[in-house]
Amino acid sequence: MSKTVLLVGVALFLAGCATTGSNLEMENQGLRTQVTTLENQVKEKDSEIESLELELSKLNTRPVSNKAKVVTSSKTEFSVTNIQIALKNAGFDPGSIDGKIGKKTRTAIGGFQKAQGLNPDGIVGNRTWEKLKEFL
């Protein structure tokens, strides 16, 4: 009788292990599915962020103060973003179109001015803007 009880006990133990293993596999599969779903959501959000950043860069037309080395007048208002776009279109690389006057943008302005026979001071005044806005 003790052998029978022992065999039944071993059988129940093994059945429990098989059930536990099966439950763990189901739980693991559920977690894998959740991870895949979350990864897909992250990819969608990354794509949405890229689209919004592109749209924002197109809409970024805020006027810039003289501190940014851009001169504005009552006749003509322009933005750093438009200056960067025009420079790029004219073949002078201003770096990323980010609405900020950095070293690359200043260098591009100076190069454009020199090519146009203007004083290459890196400042976009009325004369520079008149020639530059043709490239928008």
Side-chain angles (χ1 to χ4, degrees):
M1 179 163 168
S2 65
K3 285 184 181 180
T4 305
V5 171
L6 181 63
L7 288 174
V8 170
V10 168
L12 288 174
F13 174 76
L14 292 175
C17 287
T19 304
T20 302
S22 177
N23 286 342
L24 286 175
E25 184 56 38
M26 287 175 49
E27 187 177 332
N28 283 342
Q29 184 58 39
L31 291 172
R32 282 188 213 107
T33 301
Q34 287 178 345
V35 167
T36 301
T37 301
L38 291 171
E39 286 173 341
N40 289 335
Q41 289 175 351
V42 167
K43 287 178 185 175
E44 289 174 17
K45 292 298 179 185
D46 284 345
S47 177
E48 186 179 339
I49 288 169
E50 286 178 20
S51 295
L52 290 171
E53 286 175 340
L54 179 62
E55 186 177 330
L56 181 62
S57 72
K58 290 178 182 177
L59 295 175
N60 188 7
T61 57
R62 61 185 165 80
V64 181
S65 71
N66 290 340
K67 292 178 187 173
K69 300 269 186 192
V70 175
V71 178
T72 60
S73 73
S74 58
K75 296 177 186 174
T76 307
E77 296 230 358
F78 44 89
S79 69
V80 174
T81 300
N82 283 339
I83 290 168
Q84 290 173 325
I85 291 168
L87 285 167
K88 187 170 187 167
N89 291 341
F92 296 87
D93 182 17
S96 62
I97 310 294
D98 59 4
K100 298 176 185 172
I101 297 284
K103 185 176 181 180
K104 281 186 122 179
T105 300
R106 261 189 245 104
T107 300
I109 292 168
F112 176 82
Q113 290 170 322
K114 186 173 183 180
Q116 296 292 318
L118 300 169
N119 178 25
D121 59 5
I123 299 171
V124 178
N126 289 330
R127 291 178 55 201
T128 301
W129 177 243
E130 285 302 313
K131 293 186 181 268
L132 193 56
K133 71 180 180 180
E134 297 172 14
F135 293 93
L136 280 177

